[in-house]
Amino acid sequence: MNLKGRTALMTGGAGHLGFAMAEALAEAGASMALLDLPGASGRKLADALQDRYGVHAKFYPVDLAKTKVIRKIPGQVARDFGSLDILIHCAALVGTSGMAGWTVPFERQRIEAWRKAIEINLTSVFALTQAAAPHLRKNSKGSVINVASIYGIVGPDRRIYEKGIGNPAAYSASKGGLLQLTRWLATTLAPKIRVNAISPGGVLRGQKKTFLKKYIEKTPLKRMAIEEDIKGAALYLASDLSAYVTGQNLIVDGGWTAW
């Protein structure tokens, strides 16, 4: 898979999963623009990509809740790199995000938390894709990859969750909405831009042993995902190997949703 000469913009690029996918694309030769919150370690990670893979990489600090700001980013990336060919939406508020009224029982989940999750997980994807579309069309090989979740497909199994780990209503709703947005964009932006999604299962992040045991019992491949498991999916959807694939959701969950 050769991505030399192509530029990818990655939201959530300073996160564990985002950076893993950025590594996969950089190893294939893509230049990388990492987008994440100010103060994140993105600048060091961008430098690491340059040093390790010899590609052009740059960090753009931005709050995805600020729509007017993020709309300017694709044009800036295109000017800085000479093109914008791949857009990956990986940033999201997740079950472990520390926010009031978030990972609490349904009766105590706050509207403010709901609105922020929809803004980050869904609205930012719409706004950034809209701003990036003119640039992605230019070489007729534009690719958008939305990172969704198995919980955009199925409901959460409450039997496996413990205090501190949760699946708020807004998370599932935003990820389900992201999958439908993927299909909508795929038919709207074709034929010059492909739009697909990746739905990972749970990723191993030092969860409690009791939770891990319950999760593994429900997973045919008998383990949680690691970041390396998502790399291949991202590289496939970003490259010409998937040139005839659009509007699809690639589920990478060890078989969790196959039951």
Side-chain angles (χ1 to χ4, degrees):
M1 271 171 264
N2 188 346
L3 293 177
K4 288 183 179 179
R6 300 190 194 181
T7 298
L9 171 58
M10 167 86 68
T11 72
H16 294 292
L17 183 56
F19 184 68
M21 291 191 290
E23 269 199 313
L25 270 61
E27 189 174 3
S31 298
M32 295 301 307
L34 304 182
L35 188 64
D36 216 315
L37 286 169
S41 56
R43 190 162 283 107
K44 290 182 179 179
L45 294 176
D47 290 344
L49 291 177
Q50 288 194 148
D51 294 343
R52 195 173 304 164
Y53 302 108
V55 299
H56 183 195
K58 186 174 179 179
F59 176 59
Y60 296 79
V62 68
D63 183 347
L64 287 175
K66 297 181 178 179
T67 304
K68 289 183 179 180
V69 176
I70 64 173
R71 284 186 182 278
K72 298 176 182 178
I73 296 296
Q76 184 63 53
V77 171
R79 287 190 292 274
D80 291 346
F81 288 81
S83 69
L84 175 55
D85 311 282
I86 302 160
L87 175 61
I88 304 180
H89 300 281
C90 189
L93 291 174
V94 297
T96 54
S97 297
M99 183 166 53
W102 184 240
T103 52
V104 293
F106 175 62
E107 293 77 11
R108 302 201 333 255
Q109 291 179 26
R110 296 184 182 179
I111 292 295
E112 294 81 6
W114 167 280
R115 286 176 176 154
K116 186 170 183 180
I118 297 298
E119 188 72 22
I120 300 298
N121 296 3
L122 191 54
T123 304
S124 72
V125 175
F126 172 86
L128 198 54
T129 303
Q130 190 178 56
H135 306 284
L136 294 168
R137 284 193 188 99
K138 287 187 177 178
N139 72 356
S140 300
K141 290 186 177 182
S143 176
V144 178
I145 303 171
N146 298 324
V147 180
S149 167
I150 55 171
Y151 282 139
I153 307 165
V154 298
D157 185 344
R158 296 295 176 188
R159 295 171 295 180
I160 72 172
Y161 287 102
E162 305 171 358
K163 187 176 181 180
I165 302 177
N167 188 283
Y171 179 78
S172 290
S174 63
K175 292 302 186 179
L178 183 57
L179 290 174
Q180 183 56 24
L181 180 60
T182 297
R183 290 183 282 266
W184 190 93
L185 288 170
T187 58
T188 301
L189 299 181
K192 292 187 176 180
I193 302 173
R194 297 183 298 107
V195 186
N196 293 287
I198 299 171
S199 285
V203 179
L204 188 63
R205 295 275 170 76
Q207 292 91 341
K208 292 181 180 179
K209 289 183 179 179
T210 50
F211 169 82
L212 187 58
K213 182 176 183 295
K214 292 175 183 177
Y215 191 96
I216 289 173
E217 285 175 351
K218 281 181 58 72
T219 307
L221 291 187
K222 297 304 176 188
R223 66 177 177 85
M224 293 190 80
I226 58 174
E227 279 78 10
E228 292 286 326
D229 293 321
I230 317 300
K231 282 185 172 183
L235 190 53
Y236 168 69
L237 291 176
S239 74
D240 291 343
L241 284 179
S242 59
Y244 199 57
V245 178
T246 196
Q248 302 305 306
N249 177 31
L250 181 50
I251 304 171
V252 187
D253 69 349
W256 174 279
T257 56
W259 294 110

